[in-house]
Amino acid sequence: MADLAKSHDGHHVTAILVVHDGATWLPEVVASLASQTRTIDLTIAIDTGSVDSSVKLLKNSRVPVITMARDCGFGEAIAAGIETIPAPKGDDEWLWFIHDDCAPTPDALSFLLSAVTERPHVAIAGPKLRGWYDRTHLLESGISIASNGARWTGLEPREYDQGQHDGIREVMSVSTAGMLVRRKIFDELGGFDSNLSLFRDDVDLGWRVHVAGHSVIAVTDAIAWHAEASASERREIDVKSPFLKHHLLLDRRNAAYVLLTNSSWWVLPLLSIQLLGSALFRAFGFLLAKLPGYATDEVLAVGALLIRPRMIVEARKVRRTHRLISSRVVSQFIPPRRAQLRMSLLRATQSFRQFILPSESGSSSVLDPTNEDEDLLTPAATLRWRSIFRRPEVSTFFFLFILTTIWSRNRFGSLAGGALPATPSGAMNLLGSYADSWHEVAMGSASASPPWIAILAIASALFLGKANLLVTLFFWMAPLLIMWSMYSILKEYSLNSFLRVGASLSYALSPVALASISSGRLGSMVTLIIGPQIVRYLLRIRKVEKVSWQFIFALSLLIGVLAAFSMQAFIAVALIYVIGGIFDVIDNRKNSNPRLMRNRLTRRFVLIATPLLLCFPWSFQLLSHPGRLLLEPGLSIAGGGSALAWLANPGGVGSIPWWAMSPAPIILLVALFSSTRARLFAEVGVIFLLVASFAGALAFPSHGDSVGEPLWVGSFLTFASISAVLAGVVILDGLRNKLASTGFHFRHILAGLVVASTLMYAGTAVTWTLTTGANSPVRANQESVLPPFLALNPGVKTLVIRAAEGVNSQTLNFYISRGSDARLGDPDTAPTSPLAIDLAVRQIVDGSGLASSKVLSAYGIKYVFMKNPIDKQFVHAIDGLGGFVRNSATDAGIVWRVDGVSERLVFTSASGKSTGILADPKGTRTFSPGAGILSLAENFDASWEIIQDGKKLPKKQNEYGLPEFAVTNVGEFSLTHDGTARRGMLALQSLIVMGVVVMATPARRRRSEMSVEELT
Amino acid sequence: MKLRRGGFILVLCICAILISSALSAKVSSSKYTENYPAITCPPSTPGVNGWVSVASKKVQFRRIASKVTKFATAKRSEFSIYSDPILINGNGVTSVVSQSSAGLWSSAFLCTAAQGDQWFIGASADVTSKGHLILVNSGLSEAIVDTSVWSENGVQAGKVLSVRANAFTSVRLDSIAAGQSSLALRVTPRSGRVSAFVIDERKLGLKNLGADAVNSTGQPKSQIVISGIPHHALNGVSAPHILRLLAPGDSDAQIRVDLISRDGVFVPVGLDEKKLIRGVVTDFSFAPIISSKTFSLRIQSDQPIQASVYSADSVSGHKDFVWNTPTPPLVPMSIAVKDLSPVFVFTGDVISVSISVKLATGKVHKVRITGSDIRTWSPPKASQVVTITKTGVGVYGSALIRSSNGVASVPLSAGSQLTRASIPNSDIAVINH
């Protein structure tokens, strides 16, 4: 046996080295122990069944080795080692635990002992741990445990050691790698908990030491290099229980065990819930990261512990025997929640940054050639902020910012006008309208809402739920976003920053961009922003079979967002895929590789089908009205027709005049004859011009309209404009040198034509935006169409009639309002006007409608409002018809009240007397005065139900096509619109979206897949 | 190669332009609905026989002020009107109501659609007056009507009258402008579907002086033509006529009157360059010495004016009178003339009128009237509907109806105009800015 005589400093130190397949690090570890400046009094090694050359290395080093079973835990190994050394005789006998992958510096023990000499109350001291491979960054300097079980070091990820944490300080615990513990106290406390075979035994010991009235310190002058082989999954977990042979599972399980056995009893319920909740949350995150194994480990770790409370109870009994003070003595070391949150955000930000901007996992090394003197002598370069504006992209963005701010001077506020209806104030209103099974627009509609409403609602969360603020900012910043999107892809085509910014600026000021913003075309605006990114990725997947499925789904997700806003844009993209598919088939005929063809076609099919599935059920509903596939969100406002489309100008209200000729057609025409890849872009661009021209000649009635308007072709022209910009950049890139080196040629003329047309258009567009362009149809804070008193009772129907300019003469248009102007989403779900109402209004106009008031009141229309400018013939006709009592005549217009019972819910008794029943828009519970008929002034839908005495009343359509129910008893009844089907579809859509998101997100790596250099 | 490619692209673009132009949907939201509004015929006052000539037996009508609001088929092309006015469904043929008090007088009304403004230049509210203003509300809500009155003493206090839904009211003229001899009325509905009729009945004690309908005219104009004024001479002495004029505007008016007859066009004595004081109803008496039995007057003024002619007549030994009111320029129209035997009088510089007559037998008889200044024409017997199919510019017409009870005159103007209105379209943009 070793002589336990104390050394000259009065301490006796026994180093216990636990080895488990540590041959990689053992040579250095053993050498470090041997080279300690303060000689170790006794060194023993415990080998737990190593299968490598660890034992041989130890024997060669003449270190006594005790062999244990392979599934022996760390604590058990330590206990076995302690049994071989004589019992302690004083307080100054120390045990120094060393891992087989932990090499202390030569003076580590010396510093540790000098620290504990001055502090007799200290039971444990530990060194500062740095990475084994990157020895400049900190791993640990004392440890703790967070309330959710996470191992808490208080350090930032890969924190560089600059001495910022130096000093001797009290900590909750230190790692067992390099832990110096007073043997007497270690024995008193019973050593490591045998239930903690590996991981978190250090935290548990430190907690127990504190509760027993002792202290733990971290001595940062003592340094050890630690490879964290077990934690980084470099070696297998060999523990007795096969269930616990997963790193993460064992770590989480032990963390939960430490918290549950050491915390005060009265926090245990909350702690259990917190542990379970954290586990579920982390499991969900791991599922998203495509690490189902880790997800399972998280849940099993806590679950397996909680279903065995006896073990916790027994452990707590043992601890009670050694407890002198409350468990809360360690609360000073438990990190506050905000610190945990800050650290989580920091980690998430760094992960995201690494994902977006991957950098080489470099680490500085002491071998890096640096001249420290040079650092001192060289003055630090100060950046003059004015020089930033010399960069063309900065100055151009700034110029565009000023321009768009001046252009938007009438658009600061709640926007409406053109194709854009008023935005509800809150995101919840938008979400509600998306999820509703019944839309209160006109006579009501059960149409599926388009998904862009939900996207807007979710995006509003960034603005504290203020949807109208989001819309206002979006319209203001749209040109900048459009320019940035194009600029980001042009880097691949030209290194000339002036050319890039010029091209992206011309894209942001293109006719389609200006017209879209002026006239409130949300779909086209989103297409303008997302379009360049999609084109970039489409060009990358020309060899679609070489692209990963994760990329395919990510691109599908992006296209799905685009399709939600503009099916027209989706058709444009799908067209490209279909053409690609045709080329695949042709290629297969040439090269006969059916497997390759199937692979390609499958991927292209997924790219087309996935966005449609993401927009389910709205996308499927569109298939029953194919014309609506070409319509954009919001009101259907006429486009400029096919002729203007050839000029790449969508036309319509708010668009730049046709004579401000866009250079896009000229560029496309010139590029068609190019011998570079500009020709490919030109061919695509011309195809989209053709498609836009055809589509611009068509007219489809939208929701709620009886007459179609010439189609707005903004999305098609967006892709044409993108093609023109790309073609132009390719042509002009390096052209100056080419032209300078050749004689005067037609190329000089064409280049001049392109540049001149671009500059002329730019000047015109800038002038237009600063002057006429500001008076756009979309404006802020416009007056409501309805007079205020008609909006007092929401849900009350008013037939609004307005004069409009027809093709040859003035005409009258009408629609039913429910107490407010059209709101975002209403035009996309509005029902067609019933034929009876169309006829009633026509008869009012031609003066023959003696029964028109009866029809209108049957449909629940309480008021008729003719907005100024009034049509005198109509006013005279309605005044003369009877059944309409003039209510008011103001600057806003004339209002008539419709005679008769015009409530939404009308009860007609057996004697024929009708009375109105007040009913809430979203279902009601009220009273029926007797047997009779209940008529509901909403479009007939199978989901309308009236339930009385637990039974559904029979339902049928009345003469006006409205639902009516036969009531047989007096008593209460409930009127509802059964939204089960809608909720089911939303649930299915949510599952589809989640599935695609999971497929699209990049998978995280297991720790075993990361390089050791990354980890340590 | 490049040229071939260029040519292909050029051809493709031209084809695309042509096809897209052909596809270009001329989206016209301006579809029209055409309809004749329903027309109202006045009731018969107590002791008066009234009947209405309609286009055919299939005409739909209903009685106003009746609880029954459904239309019934006439089953006859001429039927009696009693104490309730009737509403005839619009069919494009102007119906005529003929009223008479046996042996005393006869009058004729055009049944008209509800109008905004109606002017009545005629009638009296003096001691001999038994005249009425009849307001018929054919609509389903209460009507409010403003009446403005002018007389020889200038503007009189008007009245605001209300008429219940689907009802009529008869107001004595002497309660509107008591004691005034020369009346001009303007009836303006504020709301409601109102047709107004004025009957001017005169009695001096127990002596009947005759009666006639004062048909309504349109807005004041600077040139007025009163066509088909009946004229007779008694014992070689031309019967006197009274030209009633009103300049309702803010300025006095200078007028010039031309008398148009078969004897030529001339200014009647005493009617050259007359001055009208604004707001004062002025009567000018004249007795033209002409041989023809009808003449017309053309009145030109430097200000918009209203006019009518009172013509006394003697029929079967009793006195009667007729109010001849201005006629608008003749336009294609149809008028029901069953059992009326009217004499159509056309006035104009160049008269060219094509007429189609539908007889009771169903046959159609066509005729073309040409000439200058003034022409008369009587439809064949058993005529049911006279349709003016084509007319020249500047031609005016009226119809004189003579019976054993008296003489009446109706202007040839459509009782209801074809209303052509754009069919309104459902468009949710209505409730957006």
Side-chain angles (χ1 to χ4, degrees), chain A residues 875-892:
Chain A
V875 171
H876 175 72
I878 199 171
D879 270 342
L881 272 177
F884 301 94
V885 177
R886 200 186 271 214
N887 214 333
S888 73
T890 63
D891 290 341

Side-chain angles (χ1 to χ4, degrees), chain A residues 537-609:
Chain A
Y537 294 126
L538 285 178
L539 291 168
R540 279 192 195 171
I541 62 167
R542 273 178 290 184
K543 298 272 183 197
V544 69
E545 68 278 7
K546 293 193 172 128
V547 171
S548 69
W549 279 106
Q550 180 253 318
F551 183 87
I552 296 248
F553 279 103
L555 183 56
S556 300
L557 195 61
L558 186 64
I559 296 170
V561 170
L562 182 67
F565 279 91
S566 173
M567 267 293 170
Q568 195 179 101
F570 169 74
I571 288 172
V573 173
L575 188 66
I576 296 172
Y577 292 149
V578 167
I579 293 172
I582 293 170
F583 278 114
D584 292 339
V585 172
I586 294 171
D587 187 55
N588 179 59
R589 285 198 177 163
K590 280 184 195 166
N591 303 324
S592 188
N593 189 343
R595 196 173 170 183
L596 177 64
M597 183 190 73
R598 274 197 301 274
N599 188 4
R600 287 174 175 170
L601 290 179
T602 304
R603 285 161 188 259
R604 292 195 199 282
F605 175 76
V606 169
L607 281 166
I608 294 176

Side-chain angles (χ1 to χ4, degrees), chain A residues 447-468:
Chain A
S447 296
S449 295
W452 61 264
I453 297 175
I455 295 173
L456 268 188
I458 293 167
S460 302
L462 295 171
F463 299 91
L464 303 176
K466 293 189 193 312
N468 46 13

